[in-house]
């Protein structure tokens, strides 16, 4: 069975480390990718790590994951709060989906409290910094192991 996981990142996350570091920290997205790859290696997962500022590109990767991947870890960033299209795309994917937010969105502005993606996600991680990605990968590995029986 496939152990391929897509790690998808939405808009402005290319500026991680430079962007509002008091909220999102000093680590860059390249640091996150490096740590995800190291952990994936440990967990026996293969990963495809992507970031885009364009909604359609994220949707295209979700479509690609339908045939290729066993699970998705996604930080949809601002599209979390706006995108029915990303929710619809995730609803076409059959494997487990973990939604990750670096910041605790519930402690922030009211418009960040609602997530379209949470209607589909099997788990949601918020406020644990970039460690959330690693915990998301651990959870997916566990779910895939359980499925294997
Ligand atoms: C975010 C939270 C979102 O509200 C915000 O738009 C982001 C990043 C997070 O990782 O904390 O861009 O998803």
């Amino acid at each position: 069975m496939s152990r391929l996981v897509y790690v998808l990142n939405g808009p402005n996350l290319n500026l991680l480390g430079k962007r509002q570091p008091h909220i999102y920290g000093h680590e860059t997205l390249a640091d996150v990718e490096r740590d995800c790859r190291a952990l994936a290696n440990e967990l026996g997962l293969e990963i495809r790590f992507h970031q885009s500022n364009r909604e359609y590109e994220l949707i295209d990767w979700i479509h690609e994951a339908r045939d290729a991947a066993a699970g998705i870890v996604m930080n949809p960033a601002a599209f979390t709060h706006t995108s029915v299209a990303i929710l619809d795309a995730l609803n076409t994917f059959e494997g487990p989906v973990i939604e990750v937010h670096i910041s605790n969105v519930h402690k922030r502005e009211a418009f960040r409290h609602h997530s379209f993606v949470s209607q589909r996600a099997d788990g949601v991680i918020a406020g644990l910094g970039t460690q959330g990605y690693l915990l998301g990968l651990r959870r997916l590995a566990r779910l895939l192991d359980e499925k294997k029986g």
Side-chain angles (χ1 to χ4, degrees):
M1 204 178 70
S2 161
R3 298 275 289 176
L4 176 64
V5 170
Y6 273 48
V7 182
L8 300 178
N9 293 279
N12 301 304
L13 288 169
N14 54 313
L15 295 180
L16 200 62
K18 295 184 197 136
R19 167 197 188 204
Q20 297 179 286
H22 57 291
I23 297 177
Y24 298 113
H26 291 279
E27 267 194 312
T28 66
L29 198 62
D31 295 331
V32 175
E33 177 172 359
R34 181 203 57 213
D35 292 350
C36 283
R37 289 197 182 283
L39 180 64
N41 203 31
E42 221 177 89
L43 297 171
L45 299 174
E46 192 194 328
I47 60 173
R48 294 208 182 128
F49 193 100
H50 295 298
Q51 186 276 332
S52 182
N53 297 324
R54 300 172 189 87
E55 194 173 17
Y56 77 86
E57 212 158 16
L58 293 160
I59 291 167
D60 285 349
W61 284 322
I62 295 167
H63 291 176
E64 198 180 280
R66 276 164 49 78
D67 293 324
I72 296 176
V73 171
M74 184 165 196
N75 183 348
F79 290 146
T80 307
H81 318 299
T82 62
S83 181
V84 175
I86 287 178
L87 170 63
D88 284 351
L90 288 170
N91 276 332
T92 75
F93 180 75
E94 286 184 2
V97 174
I98 308 293
E99 176 182 350
V100 171
H101 301 285
I102 296 164
S103 66
N104 181 359
V105 282
H106 300 289
K107 213 174 156 184
R108 301 180 63 193
E109 303 95 319
F111 65 83
R112 295 184 204 276
H113 299 175
H114 177 261
S115 165
F116 284 102
V117 171
S118 293
Q119 301 208 355
R120 165 62 183 86
D122 297 285
V124 182
I125 298 169
L128 302 186
T130 55
Q131 200 189 353
Y133 288 86
L134 303 178
L135 297 169
L137 285 176
R138 282 192 187 280
R139 179 65 185 158
L140 277 188
R142 170 77 70 91
L143 291 172
L144 297 179
D145 289 344
E146 283 172 5
K147 225 173 165 178
K148 210 167 54 186

